[in-house]
Amino acid sequence: MASLRFILCCVLVNCACATIVSHDGRAITIDGHRRVLLSGSIHYPRSTPEMWPDLIKKGKEGGLDAIETYVFWNAHEPTRRQYDFSGKLDLIRFLKTIQDEGLYGVLRIGPYACAEWNYGGFPVWLHNMPGMVFRTTNKAYMDEMQNFTTMIVDMVKKEKLFASQGGPIILAQIENEYGNIMGPYGEAGKSYIKWCANMAQALDVGVPWIMCQQNDAPQPMLNTCNGFYCDNFTPNNPNTPKMWTENWTGWFKQWGGKNPHRTTEDVAFSVARFFQRGGTFNNYYMYHGGTNFDRTAGGPYITTSYDYDAPLDEYGNLNQPKYGHLKQLHDVLHSMEKTLTYGNISTIDFGNSASATIYTTQEGSSCFLETEMKIQMQQLVSEENLMLSQLGLLPFYRIAKQRLITPPRLFLLDFSFITTQTSMMVKKPNEAEEDPSTLKWSWRPENMDNFLLRGKGESTNTQLFDQKVVSNDQSDYLWYMTTVKFRKRDPFLGKNMSLRVNSTAHVLRVFVNGKHIGSQHAENGKFHYIFEKDAKFKSGRNVISLLIITVGLQNYGAFFESVPVGITGPISIIGRNGDETIVKDLSSHKWSYKTGLNGFENKLFKTESPSKWSFQSVPLNRTMTWYKTTFKAPLGNDPVVVDLLGLGKGTAWVNGNNIGRYWPAFISSSDGCSAKCNYRGAYYAEKCQTNCGEPTQRWYNVPRSFLITEGDNTLVLFEEMGGNPSLVNFQTTIVGSVCANVYEKNVIELSCDRKTISAIKFASFGNPDGNCGSFVKGTCEGSKNAVDILTKECVGKEKCSIDVTAEKFGVPDCSGAARRLAIEAIC
Ligand SMILES: *[C@@H]1O[C@H](CO)[C@@H](O)[C@H](O)[C@H]1NC(C)=O
Ligand SMILES: *[C@@H]1O[C@H](CO)[C@@H](O)[C@H](O)[C@H]1NC(C)=O
Ligand SMILES: *[C@@H]1O[C@H](CO)[C@@H](O)[C@H](O)[C@H]1NC(C)=O
Ligand SMILES: *[C@@H]1O[C@H](CO)[C@@H](O)[C@H](O)[C@H]1NC(C)=O
Ligand SMILES: *[C@@H]1O[C@H](CO)[C@@H](O)[C@H](O)[C@H]1NC(C)=O
Ligand SMILES: CC(=O)N[C@H]1CO[C@H](CO)[C@@H](O)[C@@H]1O
C-alpha cells in the first residue's frame, strides 16, 4: 500500500515536472523549443483578488503568454519578521490565478522594485537599522535582502509554482535596473552585483534568472533591457537572448502633472522593431497599471491612480485602440514564431530609408518591411515589384494587398492602417441613488489641542530628525513641536516677526499658538524649499507646531534611501525692524515629536466608529476635518469611481478600505497639451499629454469588492486643506462610444463591451477628418447613406463586423487618395 502510494505520487510529480525553461542566444526555450514570448506587467496589490482573474484573462485574450509582477517587500514585511500575505497581498493566489488561466509567470523578486511604489518597495525599518546602506556590499542589508528573497523563493517552491516544478513561473529576477545607478557605488556596487547573482543562483529555482539594465550581469544571469525602445539593445553575452523586460506602454503621473499618453502606433512600432531586430521576449510595463491604494504610492508626489495609459485602464476596462491593436500585433508575432526564432536573418536596403528584414527557414519566411514615409510603403506595395518577387515575397505581398494591415508574415512597420476601434470612456451617474449629487454629510473636527496648544508629543529631543527615523513609515503625519518664551521687553516683540522653516517635508502645515499661519509643498521635481510667513508671538510661552505630511517616499536613484524627508532645519524666528534683522535659531531647541493623528488612531475611517459625528452645519473649506456619508452601490458590474471634485487634499475610505490619497485641488499647469498628437518620432513622457489646467486626479477607484450591494456603504474623508464635499458623488465608468477610422478593403469589428450599440452618431466613407468624438465629413463621400447602412448592421447588437468596401458605400471619387470609413457609434 505504502509503496503504491509512493509510485502514484512519483508519477504525478513527474507529470507536473514537465517544463524545462532554458535559453540560447536566440530565445528563451521551453521544453527545448525557442519561443516568442509576450508578457505584461500586472502588480497584484494595485488591484484586488476579485479583479485578478478578469485582468489576467483579458491579458490572455490580448495575446499575452505571460504575466509579470514585482514582489513588494514593504507591503509583505511592514514590521521586521511580521508578514502580511492577505487580500491584495496574496502573492501565491495571484500566481495561481495566472496558472489557472494557463499563462506563464515572470517573478521579479528584486526585492528592490522602484515601480513608483512607496520607497521602491523597501521597508523603512530596514533604513532605520544601524549601519544600513541599501543595495551595496553592506552586511546588514545583504542579510535582510537574502532573508526576504529566500523566504519568497521558499514560499513559491512550497506551492510548486516554478516551471521546473510544473508551475507557471518561467523566469525570476534579482535586483532591478541597478546598472542605471551603480556608478556612485563604485567597486562595492560591482561586487554587490556578483553577490546578488551567486545568492540567487544558490536558491536553485530551476528557471533562468534575469537582471534588467545590468551590462555586467555575471553568467548565467540574463541581462535584459528596459525603456521606451530596445531595438538597439545587445545583451552582454552571445548566449543571452535579446529580451525586453520593461516596455513602457505609457507613463506614470505625479501630483501637479498631466495625463501621459503614449500612442498605440508608437508602442506597436517599438515592439515590431524590437522583434525585427532579433528580440524574442517583450514585457509591457504596464499591461494593467491599477491603483496605488492606501499609502503605497511612491514618490515623492506619485498620484493614487497608476493608470499608466496601459492596454487595460486603471479599472480593468480595455483601453482601445491600444489593447486591440497590440492583440493583432501579438497574433502576427506568434504566427512568425518559428521563423523569428530559428530563421536565418538577412536585410535588404531598398534605398530611401526603405528596407526589409527577412527571417528564412526551410519552411518559409517572415519579413518586416520598413520605410520612413507612408508614401514609400505604398510604392513598395503598389508596384508589382520585381524586387519583391525576387525576394520570394510576392505571396506575402498579395495577402498584404488584400488586407493592408499587419498581414500574416509580411509585416509593415507602419501603423496608419489601424483597424482597431477606439473606445471613449464616460462616467455615468449612480442610478442606485435617487439624487446622486446630494449625499448627506456628517462631520467632526480632528482633535489637535495637545499639539496646537500644548505642543505635547510622545518623545522629545534637541535635534531635528528625518521623518523616516521618527515615524518608521507608520503614518503620513508627523508633528514637530516646540515652545518659545519671550520676556515682556524682548527686543523681538517690537518687530515684525516671521517664522522660517528650511524644509524637505512633502507638505508642511505651520501653526503658531494654535493658529494656522501657512502651508507649503515642494515644487514639482524638487525636494527642498524654505517656508517663511509672518507670525504673531506674545510675551510668555508660545507654541510652534509643524505638521508634516508625506506623499510617497522616494523610490528611485543611487542612495535614494537617504533622500531627506521632513524638517532638516534650520528653523528660525526672524525679527525685522527697518534694516535691522535678528534671527533666533530654534533648531536645537527641545522638540517634541508625535507620529500620526488622533482621528487615525481612533479609527474614524471605520464604518462603525463610536465617536460623535454631527449632521449640523457641515462646514465648507475647513482644514483638518473629517467628513462621512453613506451611499448605495451603483447597480450592475461596471467599475465604480468616486468624483472628489471640490475637495482639497486628504485620504478617503470606502467601508473602511483606504482608497488612497486624494488631492483634486492640485491643478496641473495649463500649458504643454495639444489637441493633436503626432505619433511619429520618438516618444518621451511629456509628449501627447492631456488634462492641462484640470485637477491632476479627480476620480478615485472604488473596487467592487469594497462595496456591499444590499444596504448602505460608507465613505469617510479626512480633509487637510479645506474643501467642499457637496459635489462628491459616485459614478460608473463605461464605454460611451466607439469609433473607427479604417481604410477600404479592411474589416473592422465594433464592440460596446457587453452593452449594445444604440446609435450611429457619425459615419462617412471618403476622406473624413477629425478624431473620435469630433469627426467631420471631408471633401469626398460615397453616394450611399453610410449612417443608414451601419445602423442596419450594428444598432441593437453587442458587436458588429463591418466590411469596408467602396461598392458598399457608393464609390466616392477622392482623386486617387486612399479612402477611409470614419464611424462613431454610441453604446
Ligand atoms: C530570516 O531571519 C530570521 C531571524 O531574524 C530567521 O529566523 C529566518 O529563518 C530567516 N529566514 C530565512 C528564509 O532565511
Ligand atoms: C541558414 O543558413 C545556413 C547556411 O546557408 C544553412 O545551412 C541553414 O540550414 C539555414 N538555416 C535555416 C533555418 O534555414
Ligand atoms: C536648508 O537646507 C538645505 C539642505 O538641507 C541646505 O542645503 C541649505 O543650505 C539650507 N538653507 C539655509 C538657509 O540654511
Ligand atoms: C511691518 O510690516 C508692515 C506690513 O508688512 C509694514 O507696513 C511695517 O512697516 C513693518 N514694520 C517694521 C517695523 O518693519
Ligand atoms: C478657503 O479658505 C482659504 C483660507 O482660509 C481661502 O484662501 C480660500 O479662498 C477659501 N476657499 C473657498 C472656496 O472658500
Ligand atoms: C533604455 C532606455 O530606453 N532608457 C530610457 C527610458 O526612458 C527614460 C526617460 O524617458 C530615458 O531617459 C532613458 O534613456
Side-chain angles (χ1 to χ4, degrees), residues 376-387:
Q376 288 176 341
M377 182 67 70
Q378 277 164 357
Q379 271 166 14
L380 272 180
V381 179
S382 66
E383 293 160 21
E384 295 266 331
N385 199 308
L386 191 61
M387 244 178 325

PDB file of all heavy atoms in Angstrom, residues 376-387:
ATOM      1  N   GLN A 376       6.311  55.823 -49.395  1.00  0.00           N
ATOM      2  CA  GLN A 376       7.229  54.784 -49.857  1.00  0.00           C
ATOM      3  C   GLN A 376       6.603  53.418 -49.675  1.00  0.00           C
ATOM      4  O   GLN A 376       6.736  52.538 -50.516  1.00  0.00           O
ATOM      5  CB  GLN A 376       8.516  54.824 -49.046  1.00  0.00           C
ATOM      6  CG  GLN A 376       9.385  56.016 -49.371  1.00  0.00           C
ATOM      7  CD  GLN A 376      10.593  56.044 -48.461  1.00  0.00           C
ATOM      8  OE1 GLN A 376      10.587  55.414 -47.413  1.00  0.00           O
ATOM      9  NE2 GLN A 376      11.604  56.777 -48.872  1.00  0.00           N
ATOM     10  N   MET A 377       5.922  53.263 -48.547  1.00  0.00           N
ATOM     11  CA  MET A 377       5.267  51.997 -48.271  1.00  0.00           C
ATOM     12  C   MET A 377       4.266  51.689 -49.366  1.00  0.00           C
ATOM     13  O   MET A 377       4.199  50.583 -49.885  1.00  0.00           O
ATOM     14  CB  MET A 377       4.564  52.078 -46.915  1.00  0.00           C
ATOM     15  CG  MET A 377       3.888  50.816 -46.494  1.00  0.00           C
ATOM     16  SD  MET A 377       5.067  49.514 -46.172  1.00  0.00           S
ATOM     17  CE  MET A 377       5.819  50.112 -44.668  1.00  0.00           C
ATOM     18  N   GLN A 378       3.513  52.726 -49.723  1.00  0.00           N
ATOM     19  CA  GLN A 378       2.510  52.496 -50.762  1.00  0.00           C
ATOM     20  C   GLN A 378       3.161  52.143 -52.094  1.00  0.00           C
ATOM     21  O   GLN A 378       2.674  51.285 -52.818  1.00  0.00           O
ATOM     22  CB  GLN A 378       1.601  53.725 -50.896  1.00  0.00           C
ATOM     23  CG  GLN A 378       0.507  53.689 -49.847  1.00  0.00           C
ATOM     24  CD  GLN A 378      -0.180  55.029 -49.657  1.00  0.00           C
ATOM     25  OE1 GLN A 378       0.195  56.020 -50.274  1.00  0.00           O
ATOM     26  NE2 GLN A 378      -1.181  55.048 -48.802  1.00  0.00           N
ATOM     27  N   GLN A 379       4.295  52.789 -52.382  1.00  0.00           N
ATOM     28  CA  GLN A 379       5.006  52.443 -53.616  1.00  0.00           C
ATOM     29  C   GLN A 379       5.463  50.991 -53.578  1.00  0.00           C
ATOM     30  O   GLN A 379       5.252  50.234 -54.511  1.00  0.00           O
ATOM     31  CB  GLN A 379       6.219  53.351 -53.794  1.00  0.00           C
ATOM     32  CG  GLN A 379       5.883  54.617 -54.556  1.00  0.00           C
ATOM     33  CD  GLN A 379       6.984  55.647 -54.418  1.00  0.00           C
ATOM     34  OE1 GLN A 379       8.083  55.339 -53.979  1.00  0.00           O
ATOM     35  NE2 GLN A 379       6.666  56.873 -54.788  1.00  0.00           N
ATOM     36  N   LEU A 380       6.050  50.640 -52.449  1.00  0.00           N
ATOM     37  CA  LEU A 380       6.544  49.270 -52.322  1.00  0.00           C
ATOM     38  C   LEU A 380       5.419  48.275 -52.520  1.00  0.00           C
ATOM     39  O   LEU A 380       5.581  47.237 -53.145  1.00  0.00           O
ATOM     40  CB  LEU A 380       7.130  49.049 -50.930  1.00  0.00           C
ATOM     41  CG  LEU A 380       8.586  49.388 -50.729  1.00  0.00           C
ATOM     42  CD1 LEU A 380       8.968  49.091 -49.290  1.00  0.00           C
ATOM     43  CD2 LEU A 380       9.448  48.576 -51.675  1.00  0.00           C
ATOM     44  N   VAL A 381       4.273  48.625 -51.971  1.00  0.00           N
ATOM     45  CA  VAL A 381       3.174  47.680 -52.009  1.00  0.00           C
ATOM     46  C   VAL A 381       2.412  47.777 -53.332  1.00  0.00           C
ATOM     47  O   VAL A 381       1.855  46.802 -53.804  1.00  0.00           O
ATOM     48  CB  VAL A 381       2.231  47.906 -50.800  1.00  0.00           C
ATOM     49  CG1 VAL A 381       1.064  46.949 -50.827  1.00  0.00           C
ATOM     50  CG2 VAL A 381       3.002  47.732 -49.513  1.00  0.00           C
ATOM     51  N   SER A 382       2.415  48.937 -53.972  1.00  0.00           N
ATOM     52  CA  SER A 382       1.556  49.069 -55.140  1.00  0.00           C
ATOM     53  C   SER A 382       2.238  48.656 -56.447  1.00  0.00           C
ATOM     54  O   SER A 382       1.581  48.148 -57.342  1.00  0.00           O
ATOM     55  CB  SER A 382       1.034  50.505 -55.265  1.00  0.00           C
ATOM     56  OG  SER A 382       2.123  51.349 -55.537  1.00  0.00           O
ATOM     57  N   GLU A 383       3.562  48.847 -56.569  1.00  0.00           N
ATOM     58  CA  GLU A 383       4.199  48.366 -57.795  1.00  0.00           C
ATOM     59  C   GLU A 383       4.359  46.856 -57.688  1.00  0.00           C
ATOM     60  O   GLU A 383       4.858  46.367 -56.695  1.00  0.00           O
ATOM     61  CB  GLU A 383       5.592  49.000 -57.943  1.00  0.00           C
ATOM     62  CG  GLU A 383       5.545  50.480 -58.191  1.00  0.00           C
ATOM     63  CD  GLU A 383       6.885  51.144 -57.856  1.00  0.00           C
ATOM     64  OE1 GLU A 383       7.901  50.429 -57.839  1.00  0.00           O
ATOM     65  OE2 GLU A 383       6.874  52.347 -57.595  1.00  0.00           O
ATOM     66  N   GLU A 384       3.927  46.172 -58.721  1.00  0.00           N
ATOM     67  CA  GLU A 384       4.140  44.719 -58.715  1.00  0.00           C
ATOM     68  C   GLU A 384       5.639  44.549 -58.923  1.00  0.00           C
ATOM     69  O   GLU A 384       6.154  44.365 -60.032  1.00  0.00           O
ATOM     70  CB  GLU A 384       3.318  44.043 -59.807  1.00  0.00           C
ATOM     71  CG  GLU A 384       1.833  44.164 -59.593  1.00  0.00           C
ATOM     72  CD  GLU A 384       1.250  42.972 -58.853  1.00  0.00           C
ATOM     73  OE1 GLU A 384       1.806  41.868 -58.983  1.00  0.00           O
ATOM     74  OE2 GLU A 384       0.254  43.154 -58.142  1.00  0.00           O
ATOM     75  N   ASN A 385       6.294  44.609 -57.792  1.00  0.00           N
ATOM     76  CA  ASN A 385       7.707  44.952 -57.794  1.00  0.00           C
ATOM     77  C   ASN A 385       8.607  43.747 -58.019  1.00  0.00           C
ATOM     78  O   ASN A 385       8.470  42.726 -57.357  1.00  0.00           O
ATOM     79  CB  ASN A 385       7.988  45.584 -56.428  1.00  0.00           C
ATOM     80  CG  ASN A 385       9.230  46.381 -56.444  1.00  0.00           C
ATOM     81  OD1 ASN A 385      10.267  45.887 -56.863  1.00  0.00           O
ATOM     82  ND2 ASN A 385       9.113  47.621 -55.998  1.00  0.00           N
ATOM     83  N   LEU A 386       9.529  43.951 -58.936  1.00  0.00           N
ATOM     84  CA  LEU A 386      10.482  42.895 -59.256  1.00  0.00           C
ATOM     85  C   LEU A 386      11.226  42.467 -57.997  1.00  0.00           C
ATOM     86  O   LEU A 386      11.428  41.298 -57.727  1.00  0.00           O
ATOM     87  CB  LEU A 386      11.459  43.426 -60.300  1.00  0.00           C
ATOM     88  CG  LEU A 386      12.375  42.373 -60.945  1.00  0.00           C
ATOM     89  CD1 LEU A 386      11.551  41.324 -61.682  1.00  0.00           C
ATOM     90  CD2 LEU A 386      13.344  43.059 -61.905  1.00  0.00           C
ATOM     91  N   MET A 387      11.595  43.505 -57.221  1.00  0.00           N
ATOM     92  CA  MET A 387      12.351  43.222 -56.016  1.00  0.00           C
ATOM     93  C   MET A 387      11.619  42.239 -55.105  1.00  0.00           C
ATOM     94  O   MET A 387      12.190  41.295 -54.605  1.00  0.00           O
ATOM     95  CB  MET A 387      12.566  44.528 -55.256  1.00  0.00           C
ATOM     96  CG  MET A 387      14.017  44.887 -55.184  1.00  0.00           C
ATOM     97  SD  MET A 387      14.304  46.444 -54.363  1.00  0.00           S
ATOM     98  CE  MET A 387      12.963  47.468 -54.781  1.00  0.00           C
TER      99      MET A 387
END
